[in-house]
Amino acid sequence: MANINNLTDQAARRQLARNLQLHAYYLSLINSGVIFDQNLYTLKVERGYYNPSPTEKPTADGLNDLATKGRCVVYQLVNKASAQVEVSKTYDLALYLKDYIFFDKLILDYDTYDPSGVMTAHIIITTPNMPETYQNQSYANAIETRNNGKVISSDLIDCFQPAGSAVNTSKGGSGVGVSGKLPADGVVQASNPDPNQLPKQNIIDAVAAAVRSLGSGYQAIITPQGGKTSRASGTINHPLGDAMDWYLTFNGQEIRPNSQDRDRQGSEGVLALYRGVINALVNNANVRGVRPGIGGYPRFIHYDESPWRQSKPGKAASWNEGFDVSFIYA
């Protein structure tokens, strides 16, 4: 762990402290439980202040150079029970941070450098040089995704299992299904243009029916990696096409589940929308003899009809990761 004993200039030390205050805020926000259950996950600093060797000359404004000034910190989201990095939830966290904090650059960084070949993920955040007044500071708010050190997108990408690794089907999945088709009335739309990544038809039809119950103008938008896509964590719901991650729009305006959007658009109104559509999903599934899975996230709702859930007790399986869906049991 690097220390600042080499930094003898007092002005430089004060500047370092000012720059790191933003990162202290990020840690406090994320570990407060606003985004994820703080009893389950914690955000850890993988690398903070960087102290180069006497012969090293970091590239100007590169990550190492910025880290010598407190302007670059590398984070990992860790599952407290397993002590393992939560790759898929790291992506969810990056999506949240992109919209609700200020930064110069947010990098979603994946790699498979471990000899085992297991994918891991980091969030790298760079920040500007904070003035003494803490005022009139601008932020570039740039984002990118890297894989094994290579920039692969100027957007956030949900990377999944490395090529060649098998999908774990030990929980009883029924096998990879044929992707469905979007309804003709447009009530369900996909962010990802690849038709082969749409979920199964029963999943699309279920969400479409629930959204239609809200009235005209509403649509469900499938997130870019929210259909039949692989997952690094080994989950089988999405890879087999049995799940969909989606959010609502009204006349083209996004209505996300999280509290910030509820505040902007009217807390009770948006809460009532999601309660209505989620209760419709669960009730319609139960009528068909299906026990669905419902996950509440800050930016989307997860819905699945995975075969392995069907022998479990209760009307549905549910989990809260930033949006409380426990109202389905009321």
Side-chain angles (χ1 to χ4, degrees), residues 212-266:
R212 289 190 189 105
S213 71
L214 298 177
S216 62
Y218 290 98
Q219 290 180 310
I221 308 299
I222 307 173
T223 64
Q225 302 297 331
K228 191 178 74 176
T229 55
S230 300
R231 289 293 190 271
S233 61
T235 179
I236 63 174
N237 304 323
H238 283 282
L240 299 183
D242 290 313
M244 179 194 295
D245 295 340
W246 56 275
Y247 60 89
L248 290 172
T249 67
F250 179 67
N251 291 337
Q253 179 185 7
E254 289 187 5
I255 308 174
R256 299 281 189 165
N258 57 37
S259 60
Q260 285 80 0
D261 283 342
R262 292 204 300 271
D263 289 342
R264 284 200 298 271
Q265 303 180 45

Side-chain angles (χ1 to χ4, degrees), residues 156-177:
L156 296 177
I157 301 297
D158 189 2
C159 286
F160 17 89
Q161 281 180 295
S165 63
V167 174
N168 177 4
T169 59
S170 61
K171 292 182 178 178
S174 59
V176 179

